[in-house]
Every structure is written in C-alpha cells, then in structure tokens.
Amino acid sequence: MKESKMKVKVIGRDYKETFKDILQEYTKVTKEFGSEYEEREIAIDDGYYIFIADSKDIYNMSRDELVELWEKGIEEEEEEELNPLDRLNWN
C-alpha cells in the first residue's frame, strides 16, 4: 500500500443494520472533515464499512488495501482496550 498522509476514518455496520442506524456516527465523522471529503463503502466479513477520507486517493486504493487499513484500525482499537490506563490523565 502506498504511504499516504490521507486522513481516513472508518465506520462499520452489521449486515442487519441500515444507514439510519449509523447516521449519528456518520454525521459526527463527516463534520470532522468539513465540506471536503470522499467516501467508499465495501463489504468485509459480515458487515459494511464506509471509508471517509480527505482525499480522492481513496478511490485509487484496492479492496485489499482498504481491508488492510480496516485491520490496522481494529488492531489499534484492541490495543487501546488492552491498555486502558495509558489513556488516563495522571495530572
């Protein structure tokens, strides 16, 4: 995958959920990007994932690259869950 400084957020939904079920999260994320963002949605396992980016380069990424990006995000989330004390403010 090409190294890029593209800002990307991923929103997932279960195959049983509709866009309406993630609308609040979607709105929050897209507000972070302002009026300039691009998005792609792909199916992974039993869910659908919307990749929101600040660059049209998101369209040049292959499905495998998007899945790799998604997996990296999952690993980061799991790492945060394993180390909750790291996020505490000790001041």
Side-chain angles (χ1 to χ4, degrees):
M1 179 167 69
K2 292 180 185 175
E3 282 301 314
S4 175
K5 295 184 181 189
M6 176 173 39
K7 178 181 173 185
V8 179
K9 296 277 186 161
V10 181
I11 301 171
R13 64 182 171 89
D14 187 87
Y15 75 97
K16 294 179 184 177
E17 293 178 311
T18 66
F19 187 77
K20 183 179 177 182
D21 295 319
I22 62 164
L23 184 58
Q24 185 175 10
E25 182 180 6
Y26 177 85
T27 302
K28 179 183 169 191
V29 170
T30 55
K31 280 184 181 179
E32 291 176 26
F33 287 87
S35 63
E36 298 288 326
Y37 64 90
E38 305 296 328
E39 63 183 67
R40 276 184 70 185
E41 183 177 53
I42 64 170
I44 303 174
D45 298 330
D46 62 348
Y48 295 93
Y49 295 85
I50 300 173
F51 293 78
I52 300 172
D54 62 355
S55 170
K56 290 185 180 195
D57 290 339
I58 193 80
Y59 300 118
N60 297 328
M61 295 177 76
S62 70
R63 184 182 191 290
D64 289 342
E65 289 172 323
L66 291 171
V67 169
E68 186 178 313
L69 191 62
W70 170 74
E71 288 172 342
K72 182 178 177 186
I74 296 296
E75 289 172 4
E76 289 172 0
E77 284 179 12
E78 288 173 352
E79 211 172 274
E80 285 180 9
E81 289 174 5
L82 294 174
N83 300 310
L85 295 178
D86 291 344
R87 295 182 304 200
L88 291 178
N89 182 359
W90 292 97
N91 294 328

